Amino acid sequence: MKKYMNKKMINTPSADGGNLKIAVQKKGRLYDGSMSLLKECGIDVSNGNNQLRVQAANFPLEVFFLRDDDIPEYVQDAVVDIGIAGENVTAEKNKKVELVEKLDFGKCRLSIAIPKSGSIRSMADLENKKIATSYPLLLTNYLKEKKINATVQEISGSVEIAPRIGLADAICDLVSSGSTLFSNELTELETVLRSEAVLISNKNLSAEKRTQLDKLLFRIRAVKKAKNNKYVLLNAPNEKLNEIIQLLPGMKSPTILPLAEPGWSSVHSVISENDFWNVIEGLKINGAQGILIVPIEKMIV
Ligand code: PRP
Ligand code: ZN
């Protein structure tokens, strides 16, 4: 396991020691999402030179690019104040950190997978078999819970080839698109853990750092909320306005403006991504026309 930076390198005192220090995955599945999130929060972190430590231009934030597996420990030990990590890694490392916020990206699952053709067809078939994984703690706990007696073989990478080279009978690894399993002729048997990117924090932040974190969180929540909602504009026949308002609660209630054309109003509102298609269907049934759906950039309620 190659470390990108050791603790001493990070802990060197800097002139702006009051900055909030955040750890972000250096490369891998969470890198792009983490950088986009900071950008959408209006925090400018240009890392064109592939540096390991970058000071944000317009927010009191110092960004450290680290290996994902190291982030929970660094947050626990106050080497950094906060970090963006996968729930999978955070749970496996079992460090004393505070889970501050789910971030709605990097969704994947930790699953037990078996060879497509072979004698193992169920969890019970794993009895006395060997399972290769980089998540020994989570797998061991899961097997215990399911009362399956199997050997957990810890390997740090390329877990998916273990069955083919005779190293294990099954694997327990992250699945996102499923293409890695597919190309290795493996199939998912059971989900051990659902995971997404989370913001974790050291448990003993100073009051000053806590205030900075709250400022960052305020922005993160505004970005998340905006992504989960859409702005909707439509024309509604006045006699159906009540039904349409019922469908569109908006932030308080929808804005309704009379149109030049008699008997019609323009309605503006916000709907959640989850209800989206149901609401649209209801609007159509009630005679809404010219429906425009507009993405929201930030949403502060
Ligand atoms: C995981 C996992 C698989 C792959 C699955 O590795 O080990 O190789 O992703 O993704 P898929 O279902 O989309 O094919 P990851 O990229 O997290 O790298 P790491 O284990 O080295 O951190
Ligand atoms: Zn990793």
Side-chain angles (χ1 to χ4, degrees), residues 192-212:
V192 173
L193 178 88
R194 294 198 172 275
S195 175
E196 66 183 87
V198 288
L199 187 70
I200 54 174
S201 159
N202 178 269
K203 285 190 170 237
N204 303 302
L205 288 188
S206 67
E208 186 193 0
K209 293 268 168 97
R210 184 76 229 178
T211 308
Q212 286 167 335

PDB file of all heavy atoms in Angstrom, residues 192-212:
ATOM      1  N   VAL A 192     -23.459  -6.419   1.004  1.00  0.00           N
ATOM      2  CA  VAL A 192     -23.017  -6.323   2.400  1.00  0.00           C
ATOM      3  C   VAL A 192     -23.263  -4.910   2.935  1.00  0.00           C
ATOM      4  O   VAL A 192     -23.670  -4.724   4.077  1.00  0.00           O
ATOM      5  CB  VAL A 192     -21.508  -6.684   2.488  1.00  0.00           C
ATOM      6  CG1 VAL A 192     -20.945  -6.437   3.873  1.00  0.00           C
ATOM      7  CG2 VAL A 192     -21.298  -8.143   2.058  1.00  0.00           C
ATOM      8  N   LEU A 193     -23.042  -3.914   2.081  1.00  0.00           N
ATOM      9  CA  LEU A 193     -23.167  -2.515   2.530  1.00  0.00           C
ATOM     10  C   LEU A 193     -23.429  -1.612   1.329  1.00  0.00           C
ATOM     11  O   LEU A 193     -22.798  -1.774   0.290  1.00  0.00           O
ATOM     12  CB  LEU A 193     -21.847  -2.086   3.187  1.00  0.00           C
ATOM     13  CG  LEU A 193     -21.741  -0.660   3.683  1.00  0.00           C
ATOM     14  CD1 LEU A 193     -22.248  -0.571   5.117  1.00  0.00           C
ATOM     15  CD2 LEU A 193     -20.294  -0.165   3.641  1.00  0.00           C
ATOM     16  N   ARG A 194     -24.366  -0.682   1.482  1.00  0.00           N
ATOM     17  CA  ARG A 194     -24.553   0.362   0.457  1.00  0.00           C
ATOM     18  C   ARG A 194     -23.718   1.556   0.871  1.00  0.00           C
ATOM     19  O   ARG A 194     -23.636   1.872   2.054  1.00  0.00           O
ATOM     20  CB  ARG A 194     -26.025   0.769   0.352  1.00  0.00           C
ATOM     21  CG  ARG A 194     -26.847  -0.347  -0.162  1.00  0.00           C
ATOM     22  CD  ARG A 194     -28.205   0.041  -0.711  1.00  0.00           C
ATOM     23  NE  ARG A 194     -28.756  -1.145  -1.319  1.00  0.00           N
ATOM     24  CZ  ARG A 194     -28.507  -1.540  -2.556  1.00  0.00           C
ATOM     25  NH1 ARG A 194     -27.762  -0.786  -3.355  1.00  0.00           N
ATOM     26  NH2 ARG A 194     -28.998  -2.666  -3.023  1.00  0.00           N
ATOM     27  N   SER A 195     -23.112   2.192  -0.111  1.00  0.00           N
ATOM     28  CA  SER A 195     -22.160   3.239   0.234  1.00  0.00           C
ATOM     29  C   SER A 195     -22.285   4.446  -0.682  1.00  0.00           C
ATOM     30  O   SER A 195     -22.713   4.327  -1.820  1.00  0.00           O
ATOM     31  CB  SER A 195     -20.751   2.646   0.129  1.00  0.00           C
ATOM     32  OG  SER A 195     -19.781   3.630   0.340  1.00  0.00           O
ATOM     33  N   GLU A 196     -21.924   5.601  -0.152  1.00  0.00           N
ATOM     34  CA  GLU A 196     -21.776   6.803  -0.970  1.00  0.00           C
ATOM     35  C   GLU A 196     -20.709   7.669  -0.313  1.00  0.00           C
ATOM     36  O   GLU A 196     -20.223   7.342   0.775  1.00  0.00           O
ATOM     37  CB  GLU A 196     -23.101   7.552  -1.105  1.00  0.00           C
ATOM     38  CG  GLU A 196     -23.633   8.143   0.176  1.00  0.00           C
ATOM     39  CD  GLU A 196     -24.998   8.822  -0.035  1.00  0.00           C
ATOM     40  OE1 GLU A 196     -26.033   8.147   0.056  1.00  0.00           O
ATOM     41  OE2 GLU A 196     -25.006  10.036  -0.275  1.00  0.00           O
ATOM     42  N   ALA A 197     -20.350   8.759  -0.967  1.00  0.00           N
ATOM     43  CA  ALA A 197     -19.365   9.660  -0.377  1.00  0.00           C
ATOM     44  C   ALA A 197     -19.987  10.361   0.831  1.00  0.00           C
ATOM     45  O   ALA A 197     -21.163  10.728   0.799  1.00  0.00           O
ATOM     46  CB  ALA A 197     -18.917  10.687  -1.406  1.00  0.00           C
ATOM     47  N   VAL A 198     -19.192  10.498   1.883  1.00  0.00           N
ATOM     48  CA  VAL A 198     -19.673  11.203   3.083  1.00  0.00           C
ATOM     49  C   VAL A 198     -18.611  12.199   3.539  1.00  0.00           C
ATOM     50  O   VAL A 198     -17.418  12.025   3.272  1.00  0.00           O
ATOM     51  CB  VAL A 198     -19.981  10.225   4.250  1.00  0.00           C
ATOM     52  CG1 VAL A 198     -21.239   9.428   3.983  1.00  0.00           C
ATOM     53  CG2 VAL A 198     -18.819   9.288   4.545  1.00  0.00           C
ATOM     54  N   LEU A 199     -19.099  13.224   4.234  1.00  0.00           N
ATOM     55  CA  LEU A 199     -18.169  14.169   4.852  1.00  0.00           C
ATOM     56  C   LEU A 199     -17.971  13.711   6.286  1.00  0.00           C
ATOM     57  O   LEU A 199     -18.942  13.545   7.031  1.00  0.00           O
ATOM     58  CB  LEU A 199     -18.754  15.587   4.814  1.00  0.00           C
ATOM     59  CG  LEU A 199     -17.820  16.694   5.285  1.00  0.00           C
ATOM     60  CD1 LEU A 199     -16.688  16.897   4.282  1.00  0.00           C
ATOM     61  CD2 LEU A 199     -18.582  18.011   5.441  1.00  0.00           C
ATOM     62  N   ILE A 200     -16.719  13.464   6.655  1.00  0.00           N
ATOM     63  CA  ILE A 200     -16.434  13.053   8.029  1.00  0.00           C
ATOM     64  C   ILE A 200     -15.605  14.142   8.706  1.00  0.00           C
ATOM     65  O   ILE A 200     -14.913  14.908   8.038  1.00  0.00           O
ATOM     66  CB  ILE A 200     -15.706  11.688   8.101  1.00  0.00           C
ATOM     67  CG1 ILE A 200     -14.430  11.682   7.248  1.00  0.00           C
ATOM     68  CG2 ILE A 200     -16.634  10.557   7.682  1.00  0.00           C
ATOM     69  CD1 ILE A 200     -13.600  10.415   7.399  1.00  0.00           C
ATOM     70  N   SER A 201     -15.709  14.166  10.021  1.00  0.00           N
ATOM     71  CA  SER A 201     -15.018  15.224  10.752  1.00  0.00           C
ATOM     72  C   SER A 201     -14.332  14.652  11.982  1.00  0.00           C
ATOM     73  O   SER A 201     -14.774  13.660  12.558  1.00  0.00           O
ATOM     74  CB  SER A 201     -16.058  16.279  11.160  1.00  0.00           C
ATOM     75  OG  SER A 201     -15.576  17.049  12.239  1.00  0.00           O
ATOM     76  N   ASN A 202     -13.273  15.327  12.374  1.00  0.00           N
ATOM     77  CA  ASN A 202     -12.630  15.025  13.644  1.00  0.00           C
ATOM     78  C   ASN A 202     -13.622  15.328  14.762  1.00  0.00           C
ATOM     79  O   ASN A 202     -14.443  16.231  14.652  1.00  0.00           O
ATOM     80  CB  ASN A 202     -11.374  15.896  13.792  1.00  0.00           C
ATOM     81  CG  ASN A 202     -10.679  15.670  15.117  1.00  0.00           C
ATOM     82  OD1 ASN A 202     -10.967  16.350  16.097  1.00  0.00           O
ATOM     83  ND2 ASN A 202      -9.783  14.712  15.165  1.00  0.00           N
ATOM     84  N   LYS A 203     -13.566  14.541  15.836  1.00  0.00           N
ATOM     85  CA  LYS A 203     -14.564  14.689  16.899  1.00  0.00           C
ATOM     86  C   LYS A 203     -14.316  15.875  17.815  1.00  0.00           C
ATOM     87  O   LYS A 203     -15.195  16.260  18.575  1.00  0.00           O
ATOM     88  CB  LYS A 203     -14.619  13.411  17.737  1.00  0.00           C
ATOM     89  CG  LYS A 203     -15.329  12.287  17.001  1.00  0.00           C
ATOM     90  CD  LYS A 203     -15.605  11.118  17.909  1.00  0.00           C
ATOM     91  CE  LYS A 203     -16.512  10.145  17.189  1.00  0.00           C
ATOM     92  NZ  LYS A 203     -17.718   9.850  17.847  1.00  0.00           N
ATOM     93  N   ASN A 204     -13.103  16.426  17.772  1.00  0.00           N
ATOM     94  CA  ASN A 204     -12.787  17.524  18.707  1.00  0.00           C
ATOM     95  C   ASN A 204     -12.363  18.799  18.000  1.00  0.00           C
ATOM     96  O   ASN A 204     -11.331  19.384  18.327  1.00  0.00           O
ATOM     97  CB  ASN A 204     -11.659  17.079  19.654  1.00  0.00           C
ATOM     98  CG  ASN A 204     -12.025  15.822  20.402  1.00  0.00           C
ATOM     99  OD1 ASN A 204     -13.030  15.794  21.103  1.00  0.00           O
ATOM    100  ND2 ASN A 204     -11.238  14.777  20.214  1.00  0.00           N
ATOM    101  N   LEU A 205     -13.154  19.234  17.054  1.00  0.00           N
ATOM    102  CA  LEU A 205     -12.810  20.467  16.341  1.00  0.00           C
ATOM    103  C   LEU A 205     -12.879  21.658  17.300  1.00  0.00           C
ATOM    104  O   LEU A 205     -13.761  21.707  18.159  1.00  0.00           O
ATOM    105  CB  LEU A 205     -13.797  20.713  15.200  1.00  0.00           C
ATOM    106  CG  LEU A 205     -13.722  19.825  13.957  1.00  0.00           C
ATOM    107  CD1 LEU A 205     -14.652  20.375  12.892  1.00  0.00           C
ATOM    108  CD2 LEU A 205     -12.313  19.693  13.427  1.00  0.00           C
ATOM    109  N   SER A 206     -11.995  22.595  17.100  1.00  0.00           N
ATOM    110  CA  SER A 206     -12.056  23.831  17.896  1.00  0.00           C
ATOM    111  C   SER A 206     -13.302  24.609  17.471  1.00  0.00           C
ATOM    112  O   SER A 206     -13.859  24.364  16.399  1.00  0.00           O
ATOM    113  CB  SER A 206     -10.813  24.672  17.629  1.00  0.00           C
ATOM    114  OG  SER A 206     -10.843  25.129  16.282  1.00  0.00           O
ATOM    115  N   ALA A 207     -13.710  25.560  18.313  1.00  0.00           N
ATOM    116  CA  ALA A 207     -14.909  26.353  18.009  1.00  0.00           C
ATOM    117  C   ALA A 207     -14.733  27.076  16.673  1.00  0.00           C
ATOM    118  O   ALA A 207     -15.647  27.166  15.868  1.00  0.00           O
ATOM    119  CB  ALA A 207     -15.161  27.347  19.129  1.00  0.00           C
ATOM    120  N   GLU A 208     -13.517  27.538  16.440  1.00  0.00           N
ATOM    121  CA  GLU A 208     -13.231  28.275  15.199  1.00  0.00           C
ATOM    122  C   GLU A 208     -13.390  27.366  13.968  1.00  0.00           C
ATOM    123  O   GLU A 208     -14.015  27.728  12.979  1.00  0.00           O
ATOM    124  CB  GLU A 208     -11.797  28.810  15.279  1.00  0.00           C
ATOM    125  CG  GLU A 208     -11.411  29.712  14.139  1.00  0.00           C
ATOM    126  CD  GLU A 208      -9.895  29.966  14.084  1.00  0.00           C
ATOM    127  OE1 GLU A 208      -9.174  29.427  14.956  1.00  0.00           O
ATOM    128  OE2 GLU A 208      -9.455  30.667  13.169  1.00  0.00           O
ATOM    129  N   LYS A 209     -12.840  26.158  14.087  1.00  0.00           N
ATOM    130  CA  LYS A 209     -12.932  25.202  12.983  1.00  0.00           C
ATOM    131  C   LYS A 209     -14.383  24.764  12.763  1.00  0.00           C
ATOM    132  O   LYS A 209     -14.828  24.550  11.652  1.00  0.00           O
ATOM    133  CB  LYS A 209     -12.065  23.971  13.291  1.00  0.00           C
ATOM    134  CG  LYS A 209     -10.578  24.258  13.326  1.00  0.00           C
ATOM    135  CD  LYS A 209      -9.951  24.031  11.968  1.00  0.00           C
ATOM    136  CE  LYS A 209      -8.551  24.571  11.844  1.00  0.00           C
ATOM    137  NZ  LYS A 209      -7.505  23.577  12.063  1.00  0.00           N
ATOM    138  N   ARG A 210     -15.095  24.628  13.870  1.00  0.00           N
ATOM    139  CA  ARG A 210     -16.508  24.218  13.812  1.00  0.00           C
ATOM    140  C   ARG A 210     -17.313  25.267  13.024  1.00  0.00           C
ATOM    141  O   ARG A 210     -18.159  24.932  12.202  1.00  0.00           O
ATOM    142  CB  ARG A 210     -17.040  24.067  15.251  1.00  0.00           C
ATOM    143  CG  ARG A 210     -18.432  23.571  15.415  1.00  0.00           C
ATOM    144  CD  ARG A 210     -18.549  22.069  15.169  1.00  0.00           C
ATOM    145  NE  ARG A 210     -19.660  21.823  14.252  1.00  0.00           N
ATOM    146  CZ  ARG A 210     -20.018  20.641  13.787  1.00  0.00           C
ATOM    147  NH1 ARG A 210     -19.372  19.556  14.142  1.00  0.00           N
ATOM    148  NH2 ARG A 210     -21.023  20.539  12.958  1.00  0.00           N
ATOM    149  N   THR A 211     -17.002  26.534  13.264  1.00  0.00           N
ATOM    150  CA  THR A 211     -17.681  27.623  12.546  1.00  0.00           C
ATOM    151  C   THR A 211     -17.368  27.548  11.055  1.00  0.00           C
ATOM    152  O   THR A 211     -18.240  27.714  10.209  1.00  0.00           O
ATOM    153  CB  THR A 211     -17.224  28.989  13.100  1.00  0.00           C
ATOM    154  OG1 THR A 211     -17.395  28.939  14.510  1.00  0.00           O
ATOM    155  CG2 THR A 211     -18.019  30.133  12.534  1.00  0.00           C
ATOM    156  N   GLN A 212     -16.103  27.267  10.738  1.00  0.00           N
ATOM    157  CA  GLN A 212     -15.719  27.144   9.323  1.00  0.00           C
ATOM    158  C   GLN A 212     -16.434  25.956   8.685  1.00  0.00           C
ATOM    159  O   GLN A 212     -16.903  26.035   7.559  1.00  0.00           O
ATOM    160  CB  GLN A 212     -14.205  26.964   9.201  1.00  0.00           C
ATOM    161  CG  GLN A 212     -13.438  28.244   9.475  1.00  0.00           C
ATOM    162  CD  GLN A 212     -11.956  27.972   9.660  1.00  0.00           C
ATOM    163  OE1 GLN A 212     -11.563  26.867  10.037  1.00  0.00           O
ATOM    164  NE2 GLN A 212     -11.140  28.968   9.412  1.00  0.00           N
TER     165      GLN A 212
END
